[in-house]
Amino acid sequence: MPRNEQKLYEIARAHWCAPGERLVMGDHAAGHIGATVRGLSAAPHPPAVPGGSSVPDPSWPLPTDPVRTGRFWYDEWADDPVIWGWAHAPRPDAAAAAVAAHMTGYTDEAWLLLTDRRLAVSVESRFARPSARPGGLRGRVRGARGDHSDDPAGPLTTCWEIPFTAVRGLRAVPLGRTPRPEWFIRIDFTDGSAFDFRPRRGAKAPDYVQSVYSGLTPGH
């Protein structure tokens, strides 16, 4: 899957989005994803994909031991450069926990896509595997007309998705315990969970959020 955002947009708009659906965000995991679920923290978060996948190993270093085992206070995990995203969830079936679980199984081939209709975790179809957790689309692909098929016919397969109405909003948040905070994008969900991720290289978090909201406005 191309790492270039513009190339991804072209592929998704041509083969993944339904007619009239506006794609406003596309980011791939560029590091490990951790989670705090029911007050317990760990990184990486257990994947939804059983037994791994055929995705090439990105050879990321492991998180530091305190981050890996949840032995930290507050948001020190944000200071670990190998952490790309973090879920905060009151229960395992919350939306943020599902994002973390479905992205973790595909490492840097996992894409987090947001449109004016849905938020989805997608992967190149040749890497897709059935999910062991409820809520995933079990390898089914959403084609250009928004229909599902058990035989992936397009380049992107949807691993998991929720309606856009389940997304409360996006905001830029400063995290970490160093004098210069790390800026993340936070997706807040209506179920009370949240998912934080680092904006793509070179992007400023406030500008990133503004760009997403501009894309959601008809006429942009």
Side-chain angles (χ1 to χ4, degrees):
M1 182 58 60
R3 292 288 174 264
N4 180 275
E5 179 195 1
Q6 187 57 44
K7 187 64 176 178
L8 169 74
Y9 273 34
E10 293 173 3
I11 293 172
R13 285 168 175 158
H15 303 283
W16 185 79
C17 289
E21 185 176 13
R22 295 195 305 276
L23 179 66
V24 298
M25 185 188 83
D27 248 290
H28 76 95
H32 294 290
I33 299 173
T36 302
V37 180
R38 288 180 175 165
L40 298 177
S41 301
H45 185 60
V49 179
S53 70
S54 56
V55 176
D57 183 357
S59 298
W60 293 327
L62 286 174
T64 59
D65 186 65
V67 172
R68 191 166 64 249
T69 58
R71 292 185 291 106
F72 58 88
W73 296 98
Y74 305 112
D75 53 9
E76 289 92 340
W77 57 264
D79 298 322
D80 190 331
V82 304
I83 296 294
W84 174 79
W86 200 274
H88 312 269
R91 58 186 189 276
D93 61 346
V99 170
H102 285 278
M103 294 197 76
T104 298
Y106 293 106
T107 61
D108 61 344
E109 292 292 344
W111 285 89
L112 188 60
L113 304 179
L114 178 67
T115 77
D116 61 339
R117 301 182 188 180
R118 55 188 163 135
L119 177 76
V121 175
S122 295
V123 68
E124 191 173 351
S125 294
R126 65 192 177 101
F127 293 133
R129 290 171 59 95
S131 169
R133 300 189 183 190
L137 293 185
R138 300 187 181 279
R140 292 179 293 179
V141 65
R142 180 180 287 272
R145 289 198 294 271
D147 55 332
H148 292 96
S149 170
D150 290 330
D151 179 21
L156 286 176
T157 291
T158 302
C159 305
W160 173 89
E161 67 177 20
I162 55 171
F164 178 74
T165 53
V167 177
R168 179 173 293 158
L170 281 79
R171 52 193 168 121
V173 292
L175 300 174
R177 298 288 122 182
T178 61
R180 290 189 63 180
E182 296 287 331
W183 282 88
F184 281 70
I185 309 299
R186 174 165 293 172
I187 303 175
D188 291 301
F189 296 97
T190 57
D191 64 5
S193 66
F195 184 78
D196 299 334
F197 67 95
R198 296 182 192 270
R200 54 187 168 270
R201 186 181 299 276
K204 295 182 178 180
D207 294 341
Y208 186 111
V209 172
Q210 183 178 2
S211 175
V212 170
Y213 279 110
S214 294
L216 290 170
T217 303
H220 284 263

